[in-house]
Amino acid sequence: MGLNRRTAMKAGLLTTAMSALGLNSAHPQGTSTPPPITVQGEAAVRTNIPVVRDRRASGGSYLALTTKKKPPKEGWYAAYAIRAPEAGVYALTAVATSPVETPHTEATASYLQLALNDGGFTEIARSQPHWYESKPAWGGLSVLDLGELELRRGENMLTFRVTEPTVLETGTAYALALDRFTLRRREGVKLREVRAGGDGTLSTYRYGEPASLTLGLNGRPDRPYRVRYTVVDYFGERVAAGYATIAAGGTTARVPLPRLPPGNYRVAASAADASDAGAVVVGHFACLPALPAASGDANRFGVNVWATSLVPPSRLDAFAAAMRDMGAGWIRDGQAWPAAEPTPDTYDTEHHDRVTRTMRRHGLSPLEVMSPAPEWAMTTASLPLPTDLRHAYRYARRLASRHPAAVQFSNEPDVDVTSSTGDAHAAFVKAAALGIADTPDRPLIVLPGIAQAGHFQDLLLANDVVRYVDVWAFHGYPDPAEQDEPAFPGAADEQRELAQRLGAGEVPRWMTECGAFFAVRPGIDLAPAQQAVQARYLVRSMVEGLAAGNARQFWFAGPPLHDDGVYFGLLSREFQPLPAYSACAALTSLLGEAHFAGPVSGLPAGAVGFEFDSGRGELVRVLWAAKPVRIPVSGATVYDVMGRRAATDGGAVTVSRDPVYVVAPGGDSTRPVRAPRRALSPTEHIVLSQRYAARNAAPNKDNGDAEPPLGYRLSRRTRMSLDVYNFTSISRTVTVKARPAGGWSARAEGPTRVEVPPQGRMTVDFTITAGSGVERRTDHRLQFTATLDGDEVPPSVSLVQLK
C-alpha cells in the first residue's frame, strides 16, 4: 500500500500510507478536533514479537505472537512512537485478539499491559462482558476498546506488553495478534470511575471499618474539577450526598463515607459545573456484615468462577478475597484438559495451578471440573471422552495431586452436542474416580453436573456409579422466560426422590450450578429492578435448595458474565458488587452452618418460611411473601435482605418479596459424625466399557431435548467390543457375560475369561443379533456383567435400538 516501513518505524505514524487508507492525518476543514492517529502493528520502533505477512491486515502485515517460551525480563513487547498534535485524553482502540472468547471467534490472547512514556505497566483488566461485545475485524481479531490515555503534545512512547500466558486449544502459550491501533482525541477530561472500600478491593469493606469514596477522572484537569455525588441504599433511600473537588493536575479525590449499616449502595456521580458536563457515572459498593460466614466444611455455599476465562490475572487476589468475604466457602472452576495435557503424560498445569493456590490462600475450597478430553485421546466414536479410559485415570490422578478440595467429572454431559451416552460416561466416571481414589489424601469425588433429570442420567445411574463417588451433583435453573420473579425449579426435589429410589439418599447432594437468566442489552449492567430480582432470587434459591436437602449450593456465576444476551454475574462490568452479592453476604453470615430445621408453620396466606440452625445457638427463620403481610416476631432480632438490622413494630415485622431473617436463641449443637470414606474393592477396580463403531453411534442428544430411542443404532447383526480395564497393581482374571434383553442375543467371538495385566486393558469382541421380533427404533437394555474371584464387578448397561 505504498508504506515506507523505515519512515513509519522512525516516526511511529502512518502519514502517506494513512492517506492511502483513508486515514488522513491533516485536520479536516471546519473542525477543531484532530483526526484519529492510526498506527500499524508492524510499525513498532522496538519489539521482540514476530511480524507476519497477511493480505487481510490493513498494512499487509501484523504482529503475531504465539509461543510457549517464557518471556524475557522485559516481557514480549512492542513499543511505538506516537506524535500527538495536542495534549489531552485519547481513546485507544485496536484491531487485535481479545483475551476472552467472543461470539464471532474462539481465538483468545494473553491479557495486555500498557505503558505510556515513563509510566509503569498496567494491565487492561476489563471484564468478560466488555470483551465479549467487541465487534469482529478479520480472522480471529476483534475491534477492541482499550480505554483512554492522556498524551502529551509531540512525542510519546506507547508500549504493549504480554507477560501472562493464555489457554489455547493445545496448551498454554503467550499470545497476541495486533493489526493496528487508533487514538482518537476526547474533548476535555471526564469523570471515569466511582469506587469505595480499601485499596486493592472490589469496592467492599466490612461493617465498622472506615471507608471512603474514590472519584476518578480520565485525565488531569488544568483547573479544579468539582464532582457532585449521591449515595442510595438497596431500598432507594439516600444515605449520603455532597461535593468533592479534584485538584488541578490531579486525577482522583477521596470522600469519607458515613458509618453505614451492612448493605449494597449505589453511587451516582457527575460534574458539578456545566462547563465540565458529562455522563453520570454509576458505581456500587458493599458494606459487609460484621460476622463472617462459617468456614471450612461447615460452609454450605459456593460460587462458579471459571477464573482463567473470566478474571484478569491482576484482579485474581482481590476477586478471591471478595468471594470469601461474600461468604462463599467453595469455588467451582476448571482447566481445559487439552491445554493441561497437550501430549500424552506431558502436563502443562502451572497456569491453572496458580489459580488454585490463590483460591486456597484466601480460604476457598476449589471444586475442579474435568473438561472434554484432548483430541489426541479421542476418536469420532468416543467424543467427548477418551477412547482409552486409562487416560482418564491418569489425568484424574494428576488433578487430584494439585490439591483441589473436590473433583467433578464433567459439566452437563446430558445436554452437550455429542452423541455420547450414559453408559460411556459411567465407564469414564468409574475410571476417573479410581484415579482419584488411589491418590493419597484424595479430594472428594463428585458425579457430573447433570443439567436435567432424564434418560441420560437414568442410564448413567443404572451403571452403578454412585458407589464410586462421595457426592451426587446436578444443576437447576428457572424458566428463562421468568424475568420478573423466577420460581425455584423442582430439580432439587427430583434429585432427592431419585437418590432415595436408588437407595442413595444418604449421599450428599450438591447443586453445583444454580442461578437465573436475566436479559440485558449490550454495554449495560442489569437495570436496578433486575438487580433487586437477582438479589431476592439468590436468597430464595439458596434457602429452598438447602430446605430440599442439598448439602451445598453453588451460584452461577461470581464474576461479571454476559452470554448471548443474558447476564449472570454477582459483580458489575466494573467488578463492583451488585445487590445480589450483598444479599449473599447477609445470607451466609446469618445462616452460619445452615442446618435445615424445617418449614415455618402458621404463616399468613402467601407467606413462605424456612427455619435453620446456625450452629451458634440460634434458630434463623427466613421469611418472604408475594404481597406484604405482618408476622409476629417477639423475642427475636430481625434483619433485612441486605443484613441490616430491621425495626419491628408492636412485636411484628412486615414481610414482602424481599426476604427477612428472624434470629432467636435455640438450636442443637450436636451434629452427626461423617462416616469415613470407604476404600474401593478390587472388583470395583475392574471397569467394563462398551465400544461401538462410529456408524453405530447413538443419535445426537439435541441439547438434552431428544426423545427415545436414544440407544446405539445397530443392524440385525453388529460387531462391538467390551473393554475390560484392571486398575489394580496386580494381574486379574475376569470372566465376562452378556445379558441382552428384548429379543436381542449376544455371542462372544473369543474367550470370555481374560487375564488383564495391572493398569491394563483387554478386549472381548461380541456379535449382537436382533431377533425377528425386535421392533425398529425401540430401546432395549444390553447389560454386560463380570466376576472376579466369584465377586460381581459393577455392570456396564447400555441401550440399543434396531435402526
Side-chain angles (χ1 to χ4, degrees):
M1 294 187 179
L3 172 64
N4 185 324
R5 180 179 174 83
R6 181 176 300 173
T7 301
M9 291 185 66
K10 180 178 179 181
L13 295 171
L14 301 182
T15 51
T16 306
M18 285 170 60
S19 177
L21 291 168
L23 301 171
N24 199 316
S25 61
H27 274 266
Q29 292 185 355
T31 176
S32 59
T33 302
I37 303 168
T38 296
V39 181
Q40 300 296 336
E42 67 272 22
V45 294
R46 295 188 304 277
T47 185
N48 57 8
I49 299 176
V51 174
V52 174
R53 296 187 61 81
D54 193 310
R55 66 178 62 185
R56 295 173 297 177
S58 63
S61 300
Y62 70 105
L63 286 190
L65 172 70
T66 304
T67 181
K68 293 181 179 293
K69 183 180 178 182
K70 295 277 188 183
K73 183 178 180 179
E74 64 272 23
W76 300 112
Y77 75 95
Y80 299 87
I82 309 294
R83 178 173 292 277
E86 57 186 52
V89 176
Y90 288 75
L92 174 63
T93 59
V95 173
T97 35
S98 165
V100 304
E101 291 184 8
T102 64
H104 56 270
T105 179
E106 295 180 356
T108 59
S110 301
Y111 276 88
L112 265 175
Q113 298 175 352
L114 292 182
L116 180 62
N117 297 323
D118 297 326
F121 281 95
T122 302
E123 183 180 85
I124 305 176
R126 293 191 156 179
S127 64
Q128 181 267 356
H130 176 88
W131 305 113
Y132 182 85
E133 295 158 3
S134 301
K135 295 180 180 179
W138 57 268
L141 281 67
S142 307
V143 181
L144 304 181
D145 175 3
L146 301 183
E148 295 173 322
L149 300 171
E150 189 174 23
L151 301 182
R152 61 196 180 200
R153 184 177 179 181
E155 292 288 344
N156 293 265
M157 184 65 67
L158 178 62
T159 305
F160 294 73
R161 186 176 75 169
V162 163
T163 62
E164 293 279 350
T166 189
V167 177
L168 304 178
E169 289 184 2
T170 57
T172 56
Y174 300 87
L176 173 66
L178 175 62
D179 179 9
R180 65 183 185 274
F181 63 90
T182 300
L183 291 152
R184 291 179 173 84
R185 179 74 164 91
R186 297 293 199 205
E187 290 296 329
V189 297
K190 306 294 181 187
L191 194 63
R192 179 178 63 184
E193 67 169 352
V194 178
R195 54 186 171 86
D199 291 336
T201 72
L202 301 184
S203 283
T204 66
Y205 66 97
R206 201 162 288 282
Y207 176 70
E209 296 176 351
S212 60
L213 286 180
T214 299
L215 308 164
L217 299 176
N218 64 355
R220 292 171 173 77
D222 55 10
R223 58 183 176 80
Y225 190 104
R226 296 186 73 231
V227 178
R228 178 193 301 113
Y229 67 89
T230 303
V231 182
V232 299
D233 65 12
Y234 170 78
F235 301 98
E237 298 177 1
R238 191 169 75 171
V239 297
Y243 293 85
T245 299
I246 299 173
T251 58
T252 61
R254 284 193 171 188
V255 181
L257 284 168
R259 188 180 179 91
L260 298 172
N264 193 268
Y265 298 90
R266 182 176 184 269
V267 187
S270 60
D273 300 326
S275 59
D276 296 321
V280 175
V281 176
V282 174
H284 293 268
F285 68 90
C287 178
L288 301 163
L291 182 65
S295 59
D297 289 343
N299 188 291
R300 296 180 178 270
F301 305 98
V303 63
N304 285 262
V305 299
W306 308 113
T308 300
S309 300
L310 302 178
V311 182
S314 65
R315 292 190 186 270
L316 187 60
D317 263 297
F319 173 80
M323 294 299 101
R324 175 206 61 207
D325 291 343
M326 183 186 73
W330 288 72
I331 58 100
R332 183 168 180 257
D333 205 344
Q335 64 181 322
W337 185 354
E341 192 180 6
T343 58
D345 299 319
T346 302
Y347 297 102
D348 178 14
T349 63
E350 175 55 31
H351 185 55
H352 185 74
D353 291 345
R354 186 170 57 182
V355 173
T356 301
R357 290 194 298 269
T358 300
M359 298 299 172
R360 282 288 201 184
R361 189 171 64 250
H362 286 279
L364 296 164
S365 298
L367 168 59
E368 178 80 19
V369 183
M370 287 183 70
S371 80
E375 186 175 343
W376 58 258
M378 294 188 294
T379 63
T380 303
S382 74
L383 182 79
L385 305 173
T387 187
D388 187 336
L389 296 182
R390 288 172 293 185
H391 294 309
Y393 178 93
R394 288 192 290 265
Y395 180 62
R397 288 203 69 173
R398 171 71 183 193
L399 285 182
S401 72
R402 313 321 285 174
H403 309 298
V407 177
Q408 185 172 34
F409 303 130
S410 75
N411 180 64
E412 299 188 350
D414 54 322
V415 296
D416 66 26
V417 296
T418 73
S419 299
S420 60
T421 58
D423 66 287
H425 275 267
F428 164 75
V429 166
K430 293 173 185 177
L434 289 166
I436 293 171
D438 293 344
T439 304
D441 300 321
R442 70 170 177 84
L444 294 172
I445 302 172
V446 184
L447 277 174
I450 294 295
Q452 56 197 41
H455 306 292
F456 184 96
Q457 187 185 22
D458 290 343
L459 188 56
L460 176 78
L461 297 172
N463 280 264
D464 205 3
V465 294
V466 177
R467 67 165 71 192
Y468 287 84
V469 303
D470 303 300
V471 176
W472 180 300
F474 64 97
H475 298 165
Y477 290 89
D479 186 338
E482 295 179 355
Q483 292 285 305
D484 187 14
E485 294 293 334
F488 185 64
D493 290 328
E494 290 175 352
Q495 295 293 321
R496 182 188 67 242
E497 294 167 3
L498 179 58
Q500 289 172 343
R501 286 201 305 271
L502 293 177
E506 297 303 314
V507 178
R509 293 182 303 281
W510 293 5
M511 183 179 272
T512 51
E513 284 187 24
C514 68
F517 303 87
F518 293 104
V520 294
R521 297 193 307 274
I524 63 171
D525 283 324
L526 298 175
Q530 290 176 303
Q531 293 173 17
V533 173
Q534 186 193 41
R536 291 193 289 266
Y537 182 77
L538 181 143
V539 175
R540 294 200 312 268
S541 64
M542 291 289 187
V543 166
E544 292 192 56
L546 294 174
N550 295 342
R552 197 156 273 127
Q553 297 259 129
F554 290 75
W555 179 264
F556 188 90
L561 176 57
H562 180 200
D563 183 25
D564 196 23
V566 177
Y567 197 89
F568 292 100
L570 298 178
L571 302 177
S572 74
R573 296 166 59 92
E574 302 303 322
F575 279 93
Q576 294 181 343
L578 295 174
Y581 173 95
S582 296
C584 188
L587 171 81
T588 58
S589 171
L590 291 165
L591 288 194
E593 296 181 6
H595 302 286
F596 179 57
V600 178
S601 59
L603 295 174
V608 178
F610 301 91
E611 188 170 67
F612 293 85
D613 184 341
S614 71
R616 300 186 294 247
E618 300 166 330
L619 289 175
V620 183
R621 293 183 170 186
V622 190
L623 308 171
W624 64 85
K627 295 181 179 179
V629 296
R630 286 177 59 78
I631 297 176
V633 291
S634 59
T637 305
V638 179
Y639 299 86
D640 65 25
V641 67
M642 293 287 112
R644 177 182 64 177
R645 188 164 179 171
T648 58
D649 181 13
V653 65
T654 299
V655 176
S656 65
R657 292 184 298 175
D658 284 316
V660 299
Y661 303 87
V662 180
V663 183
D668 180 7
S669 60
T670 61
R671 298 288 170 240
V673 178
R674 178 185 295 173
R677 297 171 180 171
R678 181 181 64 86
L680 294 171
S681 68
T683 56
E684 289 166 325
H685 277 71
I686 304 300
V687 176
L688 307 179
S689 178
Q690 300 180 41
R691 185 156 47 88
Y692 296 81
R695 63 179 175 275
N696 301 124
N700 190 278
K701 293 191 288 289
D702 191 23
N703 201 29
D705 295 326
E707 293 297 324
L710 300 172
Y712 297 108
R713 290 172 288 193
L714 308 186
S715 304
R716 286 285 176 183
R717 290 168 57 86
T718 304
R719 291 288 297 269
M720 56 81 64
S721 300
L722 180 71
D723 291 332
V724 184
Y725 293 88
N726 170 21
F727 290 110
T728 73
S729 59
I730 63 174
S731 182
R732 302 284 184 176
T733 300
V734 179
T735 303
V736 301
K737 184 175 182 179
R739 298 181 183 275
W744 290 87
S745 63
R747 185 184 77 249
E749 300 299 330
T752 57
R753 181 178 171 86
V754 292
E755 183 175 353
V756 190
Q759 298 295 314
R761 177 183 68 176
M762 295 295 289
T763 300
V764 181
D765 293 325
F766 284 85
T767 297
I768 310 299
T769 303
S772 59
V774 173
E775 295 183 2
R776 294 184 182 276
R777 298 187 178 182
T778 302
D779 283 329
H780 292 284
R781 283 198 173 194
L782 174 58
Q783 177 173 305
F784 288 88
T785 61
T787 56
L788 171 65
D789 299 330
D791 294 328
E792 290 287 334
V793 169
S796 171
V797 182
S798 70
L799 295 176
V800 296
Q801 59 166 300
L802 180 61
K803 62 183 177 182

